[in-house]
């Protein structure tokens, strides 16, 4: 069993470059199913989730060549299956992103119910309701979603109950060949949605309004064609290093992303006392005074992202006062708090609110990564804790951060991956 050991008290400084966005790359990989031929994706992060999505595509008949570390050539010309196996989907809920592309290309799909981080119900009801409005018929049998289009796909107006990223993406992709115009109302507005729309348009689709609450997709009769596309920079990885620099003091320059994609996060961090200088595709972060306690509530983009909630809680746990963090997106996103409490944080959970009382220091401890972002935040806490912090279950971190330990080491942190005996199999 591998763990990450962090020795606290070493300041961070220097430069770090983030990879392409995990949440964009996975959906772009799925979208290659819609354009038979060889699509080249660059700036693809070399992380566990990308490897899983690659296995999903290969299972369906795609061929993937890896050029260098971050470039994928994906040949979908011989894809002849429209089913995803549970053993892969169970590892990553984003595997359901193939539902829309398969319906668009084949008019049918069989997709296992999703897995991934245990951070909430993640029901796909909105995907199903939206696609039903386009003419998709569903039958859920033995844990699999069977989707068919007996009368083809027809454009219509779909209003989402919640600005779901996954539902918006599946509807965008499924409606590319639908007859007429599909209007997605209350659509998700994340930068990753815009990235997907750009790819689809480059392939020959007609998507308008991505990045706004209303997206229109005009159906096209021609097949989409393969292209070359660069994945947008990962704003959440960038935000994680910004938060780490803010906690440890900096200065750290974070490169490879668009600061506007972290607009509200950076504004909130500045209110907390971080000094942030924005530049083209980068920002520089430092802090000299105390961390100011402010209230945070997570909301869909352009609100405060739920994927930055744990890292922000870590910062606020050393704030100069008390504050409330409200989680509006995922009901289980506070599992991280109990692990941070082991390190001395003063946090009380009441429903979807966390009341955080700032403490002066953390103490190194053995903690478990509860999910992807919570795991990164526990390593972050270890950077300023007394003694050594040991973070286990780091497979969660590997799902979304490439060369995480190496990047921290490059900034001056004393952190390493080590193998230890698995306590569950030791007598």
């Amino acid at each position: 069993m591998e763990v990450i050991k962090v020795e606290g008290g070493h300041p961070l400084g220097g430069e770090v470059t983030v990879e392409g966005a995990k949440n964009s790359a996975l959906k772009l990989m799925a979208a290659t199913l819609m354009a038979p031929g060889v699509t080249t994706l660059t700036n693809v992060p070399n992380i566990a989730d990308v490897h899983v999505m690659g296995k999903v595509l290969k299972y369906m008949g795609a061929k993937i060549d890896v050029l260098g570390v971050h470039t994928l050539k994906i040949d979908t010309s011989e894809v002849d299956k429209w089913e995803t196996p549970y053993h892969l989907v169970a590892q990553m809920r984003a595997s359901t992103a193939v539902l829309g592309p398969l319906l668009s290309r084949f008019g049918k799909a069989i997709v296992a119910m999703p897995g991934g981080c245990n951070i909430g119900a993640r029901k796909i009801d909105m995907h199903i309701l939206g696609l039903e409005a386009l003419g998709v018929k569903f039958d859920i049998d033995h844990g699999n979603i069977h989707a068919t289009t007996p009368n083809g796909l027809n454009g219509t107006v779909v209003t989402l109950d919640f600005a779901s990223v996954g539902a918006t993406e599946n509807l965008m992709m499924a409606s590319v060949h639908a007859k007429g115009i599909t209007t997605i109302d209350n659509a998700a507005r994340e930068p990753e949605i815009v990235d997907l729309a750009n790819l689809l348009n480059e392939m020959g689709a007609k998507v308008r309004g991505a990045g706004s609450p209303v997206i229109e997709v005009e159906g096209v009769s021609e097949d989409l064609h393969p292209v070359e596309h660069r994945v947008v920079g990962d704003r959440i990885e960038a935000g994680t290093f910004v938060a780490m620099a803010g906690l440890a003091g900096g200065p750290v320059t974070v490169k490879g992303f668009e600061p506007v994609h972290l607009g509200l996060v950076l504004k909130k961090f500045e209110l907390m006392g971080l000094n942030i200088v924005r530049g083209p595709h980068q920002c520089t972060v430092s802090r000299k005074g105390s961390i100011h306690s402010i209230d945070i509530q997570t909301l869909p983009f352009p609100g405060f992202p739920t994927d930055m909630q744990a890292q922000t809680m870590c910062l606020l746990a050393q704030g100069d006062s008390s504050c409330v963090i409200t989680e509006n997106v995922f009901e289980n996103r506070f599992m991280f708090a109990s692990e941070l409490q082991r390190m001395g944080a003063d946090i009380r959970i009441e429903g979807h609110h966390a009341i955080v009382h700032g403490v002066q220091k953390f103490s190194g401890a053995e903690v478990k990564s509860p999910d992807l972002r919570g795991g990164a935040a526990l390593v972050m806490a270890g950077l300023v804790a007394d003694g050594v912090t040991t973070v286990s279950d780091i497979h969660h971190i590997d799902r979304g951060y490439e060369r995480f330990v190496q990047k921290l080491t490059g900034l001056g942190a004393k952190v390493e991956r080590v193998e230890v005996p698995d306590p569950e199999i030791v007598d």
Side-chain angles (χ1 to χ4, degrees), residues 5 47 102 112 126 139 193 207 244 283 290 304 314:
K5 284 186 176 290
I47 54 175
L102 290 175
M126 275 188 290
D139 178 30
I193 296 283
V207 182
M244 288 177 162
C283 71
S290 59
F304 198 94
C314 185

Side-chain angles (χ1 to χ4, degrees), residues 145-422:
I145 304 166
H146 295 252
T148 55
T149 55
N151 300 309
L153 293 166
N154 294 284
T156 186
V157 176
V158 179
T159 302
L160 297 176
D161 287 345
F162 179 82
S164 162
V165 173
T168 299
E169 290 165 336
N170 260 328
L171 284 166
M172 281 171 54
M173 291 187 280
S175 58
V176 161
H177 293 306
K179 294 176 184 175
I181 293 177
T182 300
T183 302
I184 307 169
D185 193 13
N186 194 28
R189 300 161 61 183
E190 274 75 359
E192 294 80 14
I193 296 283
V194 178
D195 202 20
L196 175 60
N198 289 341
L199 174 75
L200 295 175
N201 287 337
E202 291 160 11
M203 288 176 163
K206 294 182 179 179
V207 182
R208 298 182 292 268
S212 79
V214 180
I215 296 176
E216 280 191 352
V217 184
E218 182 180 343
V220 296
S221 56
E222 304 84 12
D223 287 342
L224 298 190
H225 54 82
V227 296
E228 180 171 327
H229 182 90
R230 179 179 174 84
V231 180
V232 69
D234 196 321
R235 62 194 171 100
I236 303 301
E237 184 189 3
T240 301
F241 283 109
V242 168
M244 288 177 162
L247 186 66
V252 169
T253 298
V254 184
K255 297 183 172 183
F257 80 109
E258 304 301 327
V260 68
H261 292 167
L262 275 181
L264 185 58
V265 172
L266 298 184
K267 288 180 182 177
K268 288 289 188 181
F269 283 176
E270 286 174 324
L271 290 174
M272 291 163 60
L274 277 59
N275 180 50
I276 300 173
V277 179
R278 296 161 181 77
H281 318 301
Q282 66 178 47
C283 71
T284 300
V285 189
S286 59
R287 178 179 61 84
K288 292 185 178 178
S290 59
I291 297 171
H292 306 311
S293 298
I294 65 169
D295 294 342
I296 298 285
Q297 64 168 331
T298 65
L299 288 168
F301 191 87
F304 198 94
T306 182
D307 277 351
M308 282 301 302
Q309 184 250 97
Q311 303 92 311
T312 306
M313 181 183 289
C314 185
L315 268 169
L316 292 170
Q318 291 208 337
D320 56 11
S321 181
S322 300
C323 61
V324 178
I325 299 176
T326 303
E327 175 56 61
N328 293 309
V329 181
F330 296 127
E331 64 268 27
N332 291 343
R333 213 54 195 268
F334 286 143
M335 293 187 297
F336 157 77
S338 60
E339 295 298 308
L340 195 59
Q341 285 170 332
R342 288 177 51 79
M343 300 179 68
D346 185 352
I347 303 168
R348 188 173 78 253
I349 305 300
E350 294 184 359
H352 65 123
H353 303 286
I355 295 87
V356 183
H357 303 284
V359 298
Q360 289 190 339
K361 65 179 183 178
F362 297 142
S363 300
E366 292 187 8
V367 291
K368 279 189 176 184
S369 171
D371 53 55
L372 169 55
R373 308 305 173 184
L378 288 169
V379 174
M380 172 180 163
L383 296 173
V384 296
D386 289 342
V388 175
T389 298
T390 302
V391 183
S392 58
D393 286 358
I394 62 172
H395 61 278
H396 288 299
I397 299 173
D398 292 337
R399 287 187 48 235
Y401 293 94
E402 179 181 331
R403 298 187 301 111
F404 190 56
V405 166
Q406 293 94 318
K407 289 182 179 182
L408 283 172
T409 302
L411 293 174
K414 192 165 184 181
V415 52
E416 61 179 344
R417 290 177 75 118
V418 296
E419 285 196 15
V420 298
D422 189 330

Side-chain angles (χ1 to χ4, degrees), residues 23-90:
N23 290 335
S24 190
L26 299 174
K27 315 307 172 60
L28 299 179
M29 291 174 70
T32 64
L33 291 166
M34 301 170 63
V38 181
T39 289
T40 301
L41 298 178
T42 62
N43 200 36
V44 179
N46 182 16
I47 54 175
D49 271 13
V50 164
H51 302 163
V52 173
M53 182 60 85
K55 290 177 182 177
V56 171
L57 296 181
K58 286 179 179 178
Y59 177 87
M60 291 186 287
K63 296 176 183 177
I64 301 178
D65 290 323
V66 182
L67 307 182
V69 182
H70 298 121
T71 298
L72 298 181
K73 279 188 174 292
I74 304 176
D75 185 352
T76 60
S77 55
E78 296 183 16
V79 168
D80 58 359
K81 292 182 183 175
W82 43 87
E83 179 177 358
T84 61
Y86 174 71
H87 75 275
L88 291 176
V89 177

